[in-house]
Structures are given as structure tokens and as C-alpha cells.
Amino acid sequence: MTEQQFNLTVLISGNGSNLQALIDACASGTLPNTRITHVISNRKAAYGLERATRASIPTTYHNLVAYKKKHPDNTDTARAQYDADLANIILTSTPRPDLIVCAGWMHIVTASFLTPMAEAGIKIINLHPALPGEFAGAGAIERAWKAGHEQGLKRTGVMIHEVIAEVDAGEAVVTQEVELREGESLEALEERMHGVEHGLIVEGTRRVLEGRGKERGSR
Ligand SMILES: Nc1nc2c(c(=O)[nH]1)N[C@@H](CN(C=O)c1ccc(C(=O)N[C@@H](CCC(=O)O)C(=O)O)cc1)CN2
Ligand SMILES: NCC(=O)N[C@@H]1O[C@H](COP(=O)([O-])[O-])[C@@H](O)[C@H]1O
């Protein structure tokens, strides 16, 4: 029986250390029979684009600014068109992804993206440096660090969750708690959090693909 191959599209906006964790996991077999076939960034200067190129992974820079210039009086229209075109980029790519992984993707996607992906049966997961129901949105690590120092919060965490319209509210695939340490600097907490992220993004991707494999097997 031929091994099932899984194709990933990874969405990024920055350094790409979580993308690198996925690249390394595919290469080492930690993510078996899995390859990243496309990396898309909404920021031209994202170092993750260089990481992808070094790994011979096709990249696309998808720029929201051009859409805002085209629709200066209506940000919602600009975002909807941007998202619709993002969906089209992914749906017309070969091979189509089995899964989309948001790895530091700092753009809130709308129904113009979510609906076509759902209709195509392509699940989207996201790495978020917080636990379910806590610190949704950008800047989660710093907000948890402040809550530790100011409100005595004892722990935060990291989750991989399904992406739905409501930001960071999708069902958790996997979570891991991270203790908050008294007197620890924000930089030191960020370092510990990123270390957890790099393992969890691989584990979360593996679990979703394992489910896909079972789905395929049942057909
Ligand atoms: N519809 C959804 N879109 C996204 C989700 C989600 O769960 N549902 N997860 C995010 C990732 N994310 C946190 O994990 C996140 C990213 C960005 C923002 C945000 O406020 N973005 C601003 C722009 C910020 C910037 O460009 O620096 C925006 O889009 O206006 C919040 C949460 C991925 N998308
Ligand atoms: N809301 C999502 C979010 O805040 N994600 C954050 O973006 C970083 C991306 O790092 P990377 O580009 O090195 O992977 C991650 O470390 C994560 O904390």
C-alpha cells in the first residue's frame, strides 16, 4: 500500500522560526510523509520567506497594502478582496494543500477566505501563544507576562487551534501550559514560549494530519 503524502501550505508574517520547526520536522520524519509545498507571507521582509527559499519551498508575498490603495474608502472591501484572492492563490496551486498552518500569520482572515477553504475541505490551524479563552489576539505573551506580574497569574501556555471567524476561539487541537516565574523578564518568557511553540506546532500538525489519514482510509 502506497504511503499517504500530505501537503502543507504555511502562512507567515515574520521570522519564521515556527515555519523552520515544520521544515525540520518534515525533513527528519517527525512529520512523516509530509512536505511544505507553499509558504505565503503578508509581509515582504518576513525572514521566513528566506527560510522557505533555502528549503526550496515556493513562496508568495501577498500584500494587503495594494488592496487598501484600491479601496481607500472601504477597508472591509479591501480585506474581503484580499482574502478572496488569498483563497484563490491556494486553491489554484498545485498540489493543493491538505492543511493550512498559520505560523505567526498576523492577519485576521474573514469569511471570504474561510468559506472557500471549508468548501474545499481544507482545514486551517493556528499557533497562538495562550491557552483557550485567554489573551486572544496580538501581543498575547506580553499580556500574560503583565498579568503574572500585576495580577499574580501563575501560568499561561500555547495552543494550536482550528481557525474560525472569531479570533483564537476555534477548537483546540493541542495545548501546553507554561508556568509564569516571579521576576522573570519578558524576553526570558518569550524565549521559553517560543521553545514550546516549536514543539507544539509540529504536534498539532501531526494530530490533524493523522485525522486526515484516517478520513482518507475510511473512504
Ligand atoms: N479569523 C481568524 N483569523 C485569524 C485567526 C483566527 O483565529 N481567526 N488567528 C490569527 C493569529 N492571531 C493570533 O493567533 C492573530 C493575528 C493577528 C491579529 C491582529 O490583530 N491582526 C491585525 C493586524 C496586526 C498587524 O498587522 O500587526 C489585523 O489583522 O487587523 C490578531 C490575532 C490569524 N488570523
Ligand atoms: N497571534 C499569533 C501570534 O502572536 N503568534 C506569535 O508570532 C510568533 C511568530 O514567530 P515566528 O515567525 O518566529 O514563527 C510566534 O512566536 C507567536 O508567539
Side-chain angles (χ1 to χ4, degrees), residues 103-116:
W105 171 253
M106 301 306 283
H107 172 83
I108 298 173
V109 290
T110 63
S112 299
F113 178 72
L114 295 169
T115 302

Side-chain angles (χ1 to χ4, degrees), residues 14-18 103-104 106 127-129 137 141 194 197:
N15 176 32
S17 67
N18 285 281
M106 301 306 283
L127 159 76
H128 186 57
I141 298 176
H194 294 335
E197 289 170 351

Side-chain angles (χ1 to χ4, degrees), residues 169-189:
E171 184 178 345
V173 172
V174 62
T175 65
Q176 185 171 333
E177 290 194 357
V178 176
E179 68 166 346
L180 291 169
R181 295 172 181 167
E182 196 168 341
E184 182 178 42
S185 69
L186 173 59
E187 292 69 26
L189 174 60

Side-chain angles (χ1 to χ4, degrees), residues 17 35 51 82 86 121 123 140 158 160 167 182:
S17 67
R35 58 184 182 170
R51 294 178 189 268
Y82 175 90
L86 177 62
K123 191 172 281 189
V158 181
I160 307 298
V167 174
E182 196 168 341

